[in-house]
Amino acid sequence: MTNIIVIGGGAAGFFGAIAAAKVNPYAHVILLEASHQPLAKVSISGGGRCNVTHACFEPQELVKNYPRGGKALLGAFTRFQPQDTITWFQAHGVKLKTEADGRMFPTTDSSETIVNCLMSTAKAAGVELRTGSAVVGARLGGANSPLSRFEITLKSGEKLQCDRLLLATGSNPIGYKIAQQLGHTIEPPVPSLFTFNIKNKELTELAGVSVNPVKLRLIVPEYPHLEQTGPLLITHWGLSGPAVLKLSAWGARMLHSSNYQATLVINWLPYLKQEQVRQHLLAAKKDSPKRLIASHRVVDLPHRLWQYIVSCVGISSESRWAELSNKTLNKLVQELTQAQSSINGKGAFKEEFVTCGGVNLKEIKFKTMESKLVGGLYFAGEILDIDGVTGGFNFQSAWTTAYLAGLAMASDSN
């Protein structure tokens, strides 16, 4: 009998364990989870709705959403991609729906639907789920079972043997520790997908105001500039929204190296050229000279944001369009198209977190997710140096890598 142990009871761990147990019903699959509540991150993801995947069905396009790992995932996505995820969940009684931005959720709008599906499917497939089973180490070979490849030591002191081992520990340090002990290189883990702290009381007083689209440019000394366009949300601590989260993902390492101190350049009107913005303002000066600048906005921005921008360039609430000097007009154009804010730290993105870094991808066979260094050792999910932008991409890489690992572990040819 093939003995398989999966460490980590999250999305990747469950999916890999299920795949292995279904393909090889004679395999003994044990799923070890340190806490007493498996799939905790799935429960809180997507604001409790669980953003299962993204409606992007072309691998070449799909990989563009991964700041790290896209190249390695290309082949993997030809074997298991979002369409396969949809089909898998539908076959197990869960229908998914697509929202306007491409994100896919269960039609119930409840992450518990996904949690219950994975729990019941694992049970039906014969996976032995052991919660409260924290792992403290793993080594090659077992003293009590020389034929086994791995010996796993639990916090309780219990030792388990297996032929095949899947590390699906997410960003938990124990996964990195075991991988290193078995000879793997770890790219230093740093946060990805976070919001920007902006110490600007006048701006943060606009909390709740959103603009779509804006164009953001991130400037960190000695690094190339990064840009993202998309929706922006002003919060009570700074800036959030898809454009910020994507920028944080692509700039994760450079922002970490700068201690999250950087300059953000905001173009509030990316669909207009700078000269077009100028013409809008000149037209207002000509056509509405007696109107107050602060109350007569001439571009498509929320009213409170317009008033903030006007005040930034020193225009009083009583100033009229006729009084607008060329110098102030130029400042207003600049503030609308190249406003600068200082980033002073990062905030959390809801209760979710994504890590950039993990097991070096050059040490993994992406057809099977098996280690190139240690036969019978597999990896799936966030323990790998793979991370995606917001929108269901991190879950998709977890489903894909776990499914491929599960199939390979269950194969009798190992």
Side-chain angles (χ1 to χ4, degrees), residues 76-341:
F77 283 148
T78 64
R79 290 182 279 280
F80 194 93
Q81 56 126 305
Q83 188 57 61
D84 299 299
T85 302
I86 296 163
T87 303
W88 191 95
F89 277 103
Q90 191 155 349
H92 293 85
V94 177
K95 288 188 176 180
L96 304 180
K97 61 177 180 177
T98 308
E99 302 206 334
D101 59 4
R103 292 180 303 159
M104 299 195 73
F105 295 87
T107 54
T108 58
D109 276 328
S110 172
S111 58
E112 290 311 303
T113 304
I114 303 300
V115 170
N116 294 338
C117 171
L118 293 171
M119 292 281 283
S120 61
T121 305
K123 186 177 180 181
V127 173
E128 181 187 339
L129 173 61
R130 296 180 57 172
T131 57
S133 299
V135 173
V136 293
R139 68 184 184 91
L140 286 170
N144 301 328
S145 179
L147 297 177
S148 295
R149 288 187 189 174
F150 304 97
E151 181 178 79
I152 315 301
T153 304
L154 303 185
K155 192 176 181 180
S156 64
E158 182 183 359
K159 295 185 188 297
L160 303 171
Q161 276 80 35
C162 63
D163 310 301
R164 286 148 210 182
L165 174 64
L166 172 59
L167 294 180
T169 47
S171 54
N172 191 308
I174 188 61
Y176 302 141
K177 179 186 169 186
I178 292 171
Q180 280 185 306
Q181 286 174 342
L182 294 173
H184 278 277
T185 310
I186 305 298
E187 300 299 325
V190 302
S192 182
L193 282 190
F194 48 84
T195 58
F196 295 160
N197 289 349
I198 308 283
K199 291 180 181 175
N200 179 336
K201 188 170 178 288
E202 288 74 23
L203 178 65
T204 55
E205 280 178 352
L206 302 179
V209 169
S210 60
V211 186
N212 185 20
V214 301
K215 185 174 184 178
L216 303 179
R217 187 162 84 251
L218 183 65
I219 301 174
V220 176
E222 298 178 22
Y223 283 92
H225 296 176
L226 296 176
E227 291 187 348
Q228 282 291 335
T229 301
L232 176 84
L233 173 67
I234 300 172
T235 69
H236 62 270
W237 66 84
L239 298 172
S240 185
V244 166
L245 294 170
K246 287 180 181 179
L247 205 52
S248 78
W250 288 99
R253 289 215 176 278
M254 56 192 263
L255 282 163
H256 181 262
S257 72
S258 71
N259 199 28
Y260 303 98
Q261 307 295 308
T263 300
L264 187 68
V265 180
I266 308 171
N267 182 352
W268 298 104
L269 303 166
Y271 46 86
L272 294 175
K273 292 179 180 175
Q274 204 171 58
E275 186 52 37
Q276 290 175 305
V277 175
R278 186 185 307 279
Q279 292 307 317
H280 276 285
L281 303 181
L282 287 171
K285 183 176 180 178
K286 179 185 175 186
D287 301 336
S288 309
K290 295 182 179 179
R291 297 194 66 172
L292 296 174
I293 297 172
S295 60
H296 180 54
R297 70 185 191 279
V298 294
V299 288
D300 186 18
L301 289 176
H303 188 64
R304 287 167 62 206
L305 178 60
W306 169 256
Q307 290 183 320
Y308 160 78
I309 291 169
V310 164
S311 69
C312 280
V313 297
I315 298 172
S316 78
S317 58
E318 302 303 315
S319 295
R320 301 183 186 276
W321 278 103
E323 301 162 12
L324 186 66
S325 68
N326 284 339
K327 184 179 178 181
T328 306
L329 183 141
N330 288 338
K331 284 185 181 177
L332 188 52
V333 171
Q334 184 79 2
E335 194 66 26
L336 286 164
T337 60
Q338 294 182 39
Q340 290 200 9
S341 287

